[in-house]
């Protein structure tokens, strides 16, 4: 056991913050890409990977669903993290001095009202924590970064304005991935099961495949499709359902799903985060 949890991004990224919230006793290991974070777990350099899968404002994180089935890892937990955005600048800078703010394009779009009111121009950066790091290195009092509290602490920046996001319910869902599955019943908010599948090439296959969940009273909280290898004809579906595979109603629904599909892979069985309620 390494007691490390891998994440994508620079130290201070929101994924780093999620590691602190969900696994405060573990050492966070920054990685350049999602693939690198997954590989760190596969190679044993980390015990867990913290991967963002969707945001309440901007939807799913690009490419992540296609990476999960190929990762060889298993979902063992989920975490919901509120995305609070701050305006950070070099020590001594004042808000009225700021002319430009740098961050990932997604965060820039989430603070349009604040930036417009203060006449601040947007500068696209590679990511949030990387932008904070660059602002600290440049030392320019007219340039600020949009990032979280942790990034400000790590890079020694002053907080000029707190929680400036337009949408104050902005939340990102993360999945915690491990080398080995854990199907034990745990948590106080019930269990979740995530899986991917491909339907057979027959008329109304998806409609028929989904029927078993309705007739057996299984709540499906997410169903998304995505193309496989860039093909317009090969479609895979990602689904989250409430319940454990050993539950009778879930077992019956999954049996019916199998009849209309050519491929099913369970990605993980894990406790529901109470924040999803």
């Amino acid at each position: 056991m390494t007691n490390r949890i891998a994440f994508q991004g620079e130290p201070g990224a929101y994924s780093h913050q999620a590691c602190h919230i969900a696994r405060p006793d573990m050492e966070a290991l920054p990685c350049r890409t999602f693939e690198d974070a997954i590989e760190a777990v596969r190679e044993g350099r980390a015990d867990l990977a913290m991967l963002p899968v969707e945001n309440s404002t901007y939807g799913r994180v690009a490419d992540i669903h296609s990476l999960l089935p190929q990762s060889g890892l298993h979902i063992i937990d989920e975490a919901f993290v509120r995305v609070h955005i701050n305006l950070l600048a070099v020590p001594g800078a004042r808000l009225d001095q700021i002319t430009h703010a740098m961050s990932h394009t997604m965060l820039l779009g989430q603070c349009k009202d604040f930036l417009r009111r203060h006449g601040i121009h947007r500068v696209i950066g590679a990511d949030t924590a990387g932008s904070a790091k660059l602002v600290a290195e440049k030392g320019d009092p007219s340039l600020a970064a949009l990032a979280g509290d942790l990034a400000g602490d790590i890079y020694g920046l002053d907080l000029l304005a707190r929680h400036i996001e337009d949408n104050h319910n902005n939340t990102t869902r993360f999945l915690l991935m491990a080398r080995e599955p854990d199907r034990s019943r745990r948590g106080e908010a019930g269990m979740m099961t995530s899986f991917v599948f491909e339907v057979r090439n027959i008329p109304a296959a998806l409609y028929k495949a989904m029927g078993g969940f309705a007739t057996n009273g299984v709540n499906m909280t997410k169903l998304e499709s995505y193309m496989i290898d860039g093909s317009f004809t090969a479609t895979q579906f990602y689904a989250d359902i409430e319940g454990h595979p050993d539950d009778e109603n879930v077992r019956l629904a999954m049996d019916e799903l199998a009849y209309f599909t050519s491929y099913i892979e369970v990605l993980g069985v894990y406790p529901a985060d109470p924040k999803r309620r």
Side-chain angles (χ1 to χ4, degrees), residues 260-273:
F260 295 104
T261 57
S262 57
Y263 163 76
I264 302 175
E265 181 180 350
V266 174
L267 301 177
V269 181
Y270 51 96
D273 189 305

Side-chain angles (χ1 to χ4, degrees), residues 127-267:
D127 56 43
T128 57
S131 297
K133 182 180 180 181
L134 187 61
V135 166
E137 291 172 348
K138 282 184 173 294
D140 181 354
S142 70
L143 178 64
L146 302 180
D149 292 343
L150 186 58
D153 293 341
I154 289 174
Y155 300 111
L157 298 177
D158 282 357
L159 192 156
L160 301 187
R162 181 185 293 276
H163 300 179
I164 62 173
E165 62 271 15
D166 299 334
N167 183 345
H168 292 281
N169 293 316
N170 193 11
T171 301
T172 297
R173 180 188 178 216
F174 292 84
L175 297 177
L176 283 78
M177 311 286 292
R179 286 186 296 278
E180 299 297 329
D182 182 357
R183 294 200 172 192
S184 64
R185 294 182 185 271
R186 54 203 191 277
E188 300 177 354
M191 298 294 290
M192 300 291 298
T193 299
S194 295
F195 54 93
V196 292
F197 64 94
E198 296 174 33
V199 295
R200 292 164 54 196
N201 189 21
I202 58 175
L206 180 60
Y207 173 78
K208 294 172 182 176
M210 294 295 95
F213 295 95
T215 56
N216 288 287
V218 177
N219 186 29
M220 181 171 287
T221 61
K222 178 166 290 296
L223 177 65
E224 291 191 344
S225 64
Y226 55 97
M227 293 185 295
I228 304 172
D229 298 326
S231 170
F232 285 100
T233 57
T235 302
Q236 195 164 85
F237 294 89
Y238 169 93
D240 295 330
I241 59 172
E242 293 181 351
H244 191 286
D246 292 340
D247 296 340
E248 180 67 8
N249 63 333
V250 173
R251 185 184 63 79
L252 291 172
M254 294 297 285
D255 285 347
E256 191 162 340
L257 174 69
Y259 184 79
F260 295 104
T261 57
S262 57
Y263 163 76
I264 302 175
E265 181 180 350
V266 174
L267 301 177

